[in-house]
Amino acid sequence: MDNSLRVCQPTPEDLAWLGTAPIPAAPYYDPDYFALEQEAVFRRTWVHIGHISELPELGSYIVRPYEACDLSVLITRNSQGELQAFHNVCPHRGTQLVTELSGKRTRFTCPYHGWTFSNQGHLISAPDFDNFFLDDKDNCGLTGISIDECGGLIFINLDQSPKQDLRSFLGPFAGVLDNLAPAQASEFDEYEYEIAANWKVNYDNFQENYHLRFIHNRTGAAILSKENPFGYASDYSFWGPHRSQSLQKPTQPFTPEPVQGLAFAKAQALDTLPGGKADCKIFPNLFVVGLTNYVFTHTITPLSHNRSRGVFRVYRIGEAQSASQRFAREYTTASLRDVHVEDRAIIERGQRGLQGRSLTHINFQLHEALCRHLFNEVDSRVQAFKQQLAEEKIHD
Amino acid sequence: MTDQTGLLPPGFEALEPFVEGWVLTSSSERTAKRVQSDDDERRAFYEVGKNLAEEALAFLDQKSMSDFDDKEKRLMELMLSLVHASLAVEVQKSSELLHRQASIHLQYIETSDV
């Protein structure tokens, strides 16, 4: 596949390939549609789950819920330094193996009957194994999950033989991620929220600027202008299932308040990052946004058809070396968080409106092209999966 | 009432009255304080803090953060709380009341701190 982005101007001609018809509303609230998404998307796509700094040493491990599919993942760094991922489940009778969220260990013992596994997933010992009707321990290891890393970000894929490796899946975005702060970061700030909203309703909020002037009139006023009253992006880009928009520069002369000005100046002086600005909306549920002073990721994980969790991580390079740098980082994370506080309430209200099945369709305008693209990408996978199910039924 | 003199490095006595409420050790505590404080309390801290912030950071920058004594550590934590108070006073202004009702839903996950 050609590795260049399809760059579109925000004109009806340039974006016609995405379609213009209203979008069915059911995929945004229907439990049956969500069940199909779990299979067609979340069980067979690379999904971001962690950062390399969470597994700093040989023998480090982390346990993370993968709530999109209601399962728990054990990620280890083995003695060769490679990352491995497993279903956090003892293959004897399915007991959850590890409950600690992180640590350093090379062996894991199931508390139920004492089966013990290496951090490479092999069954090392099982008490009274001769009484099992099993040939040998080699076939009794932990169930593996595909894992890879790009730019410091760890991804898993529940498909044991993924159709594409991670870099092929990410296409041109792989090179972008290689050059952003998470590739070098040893720590991050983090905040999260749970929300009564379908994951796509939630995600869509963060891929259109149409709402900025209404919801962020205090925190986001700087990018609105007479010429561009909605602060729209000047272009939208696509590659495979991923997408991107140009980031808007402040257009108005901006006089910061005293503490704000001090924090901005310190961030400018002490935390200006290499790599430049970047906007990556990675299918299905990750945002990676590279700004001048920090990079943030935002992962939206479905919890059910009408609930999701968002996790924000804010990355810079290295630990804060001085009081001023620490101050600037506290400020940039807290002010980013403030923007997201404003978003959450309106997103829930969106879901409440959809939930009662009042609408058969919703509408996306030209500058909501990225929302339309996400729907198209999800729905094509869901429809293909339904087709596959139907064909399997015929053959049975 | 406890004697609060000498809790901060010399030159920053004006901030002493705010030590009790605003010296906090994590971002989640500082956010919680912002949410719980009323307008007057926040503004009183902000008004004194904003005038001393540049000087306080210049003073603290002379030392590695790991070498801070208790007084310097308190001053640092006051500066970090000032971040949160200032976002209410300078950015949200009269909308802070509305903002803080939504704010409680976004939780900091603590990884590291001073």
Side-chain angles (χ1 to χ4, degrees):
Chain A
M1 192 168 171
D2 181 3
N3 236 17
S4 51
L5 284 167
R6 177 176 188 161
V7 182
C8 299
Q9 302 304 307
T11 61
E13 297 75 31
D14 248 23
L15 291 165
W17 64 281
L18 289 170
T20 54
I23 300 288
Y28 297 87
Y29 62 73
D30 180 17
D32 294 340
Y33 194 89
F34 175 62
L36 290 165
E37 286 177 332
Q38 287 181 297
E39 297 302 323
V41 176
F42 289 97
R43 280 191 178 270
R44 58 192 72 195
T45 308
W46 290 101
V47 178
H48 173 49
I49 196 157
H51 183 252
I52 48 167
S53 67
E54 296 176 275
L55 297 118
E57 299 169 77
L58 304 181
S60 292
Y61 72 90
I62 56 174
V63 170
R64 294 289 177 265
Y66 183 45
E67 291 152 310
C69 297
D70 197 21
L71 56 85
S72 171
V73 181
L74 169 65
I75 302 175
T76 65
R77 190 180 286 285
N78 68 25
S79 49
Q80 279 79 53
E82 294 158 353
L83 295 172
Q84 290 190 267
F86 308 96
H87 287 265
N88 179 24
V89 171
C90 177
H92 171 212
R93 276 168 48 194
T95 308
Q96 206 164 75
L97 187 63
V98 190
T99 50
E100 298 80 17
L101 291 180
S102 65
K104 203 178 159 186
R105 256 204 275 167
T106 54
R107 289 181 175 207
F108 303 94
T109 299
C110 179
Y112 204 170
H113 304 92
W115 284 34
T116 297
F117 304 88
S118 74
N119 64 355
Q120 300 187 54
H122 304 304
L123 177 63
I124 298 171
S125 64
D128 207 14
F129 189 74
D130 290 345
N131 271 328
F132 279 93
F133 308 98
L134 296 164
D135 297 336
D136 69 82
K137 294 196 179 83
D138 290 351
N139 299 323
C140 300
L142 300 176
T143 308
I145 294 174
S146 305
I147 184 166
D148 205 353
E149 170 258 313
C150 181
L153 303 176
I154 299 170
F155 292 74
I156 57 162
N157 191 330
L158 293 187
D159 189 341
Q160 289 201 20
S161 28
K163 280 182 206 68
Q164 294 171 294
D165 63 28
L166 177 63
R167 289 193 79 88
S168 310
F169 169 72
L170 293 171
F173 290 99
V176 177
L177 297 184
D178 285 340
N179 291 314
L180 293 178
Q184 299 174 57
S186 55
E187 59 176 18
F188 46 81
D189 292 340
E190 183 175 27
Y191 54 91
E192 65 165 34
Y193 62 94
E194 233 184 276
I195 185 169
N198 176 275
W199 70 278
K200 300 187 297 305
V201 170
N202 193 3
Y203 196 99
D204 281 350
N205 177 78
F206 302 95
Q207 55 177 353
E208 53 88 356
N209 288 10
Y210 190 20
H211 74 286
L212 298 186
R213 68 174 295 132
F214 306 102
I215 304 301
H216 304 297
N217 55 344
R218 297 177 298 281
T219 52
I223 68 161
L224 309 177
S225 66
K226 208 179 235 177
E227 297 70 36
N228 188 1
F230 296 97
Y232 288 143
S234 53
D235 57 60
Y236 300 102
S237 303
F238 305 86
W239 187 90
H242 317 301
R243 64 210 84 89
S244 171
Q245 66 177 75
S246 57
L247 296 171
Q248 294 308 88
K249 289 195 185 83
T251 49
Q252 295 170 15
F254 176 65
T255 313
E257 300 283 343
V259 176
Q260 190 177 38
L262 181 63
F264 286 174
K266 297 289 188 189
Q268 255 350 72
L270 301 168
D271 260 331
T272 294
L273 296 172
K277 291 194 175 188
D279 179 64
C280 312
K281 293 172 168 74
I282 305 294
F283 184 82
N285 65 337
L286 171 66
F287 299 88
V288 184
V289 183
L291 301 173
T292 310
N293 308 125
Y294 59 92
V295 174
F296 75 90
T297 61
H298 180 191
T299 308
I300 292 176
T301 303
L303 304 177
S304 72
H305 64 287
N306 60 5
R307 290 198 75 78
S308 49
R309 180 192 313 288
V311 177
F312 287 95
R313 289 180 164 187
V314 186
Y315 295 89
R316 296 94 174 176
I317 295 171
E319 291 176 21
Q321 298 297 316
S322 64
S324 285
Q325 198 172 21
R326 179 72 187 81
F327 174 83
R329 291 180 176 190
E330 185 83 6
Y331 194 94
T332 46
T333 297
S335 60
L336 182 70
R337 182 184 166 280
D338 266 15
V339 177
H340 298 133
V341 165
E342 296 172 349
D343 285 307
R344 189 185 169 282
I346 196 69
I347 300 169
E348 279 200 335
R349 192 160 158 178
Q351 188 70 35
R352 277 200 299 278
L354 287 165
Q355 201 62 33
R357 307 190 173 204
S358 306
L359 301 179
T360 57
H361 289 81
I362 58 171
N363 296 284
F364 291 135
Q365 60 123 315
L366 192 65
H367 287 277
E368 292 170 314
L370 303 186
C371 306
R372 187 181 287 277
H373 182 249
L374 173 63
F375 172 76
N376 290 352
E377 289 297 321
V378 170
D379 198 54
S380 66
R381 283 163 178 74
V382 165
Q383 300 311 330
F385 181 73
K386 272 165 89 173
Q387 181 74 29
Q388 187 193 326
L389 285 183
E391 282 164 14
E392 281 168 14
K393 222 171 181 180
I394 291 166
H395 290 122
D396 278 347
Chain B
M1 207 175 141
T2 50
D3 177 18
Q4 293 188 326
T5 54
L7 290 172
L8 295 170
F12 300 100
E13 291 81 2
L15 283 164
E16 299 258 342
F18 306 103
V19 166
E20 194 172 323
W22 295 91
V23 171
L24 300 162
T25 56
S26 67
S27 299
S28 50
E29 286 178 279
R30 293 186 273 272
T31 307
K33 177 68 182 176
R34 169 182 169 186
V35 168
Q36 287 152 14
S37 60
D38 66 32
D39 287 353
D40 292 344
E41 186 188 5
R42 232 172 14 246
R43 183 167 277 285
F45 172 49
Y46 167 78
E47 291 296 343
V48 178
K50 74 163 201 264
N51 295 326
L52 286 169
E54 199 158 359
E55 206 181 313
L57 292 176
F59 171 78
L60 293 169
D61 280 346
Q62 295 169 40
K63 248 188 175 181
S64 159
M65 284 192 289
S66 54
D67 296 334
F68 283 170
D69 63 25
D70 287 349
K71 292 180 183 185
E72 289 155 347
K73 215 171 159 205
R74 280 188 207 107
L75 184 60
M76 180 76 233
E77 285 169 352
L78 279 180
M79 288 302 106
L80 297 179
S81 284
L82 180 66
V83 161
H84 297 264
S86 78
L87 284 166
V89 176
E90 293 182 346
V91 182
Q92 292 295 327
K93 300 184 172 122
S94 60
S95 301
E96 175 66 8
L97 184 62
L98 204 69
H99 184 86
R100 72 189 193 187
Q101 287 165 3
S103 173
I104 54 171
H105 297 288
L106 273 78
Q107 300 292 334
Y108 274 97
I109 313 293
E110 303 297 344
T111 47
S112 60
D113 214 333
V114 285

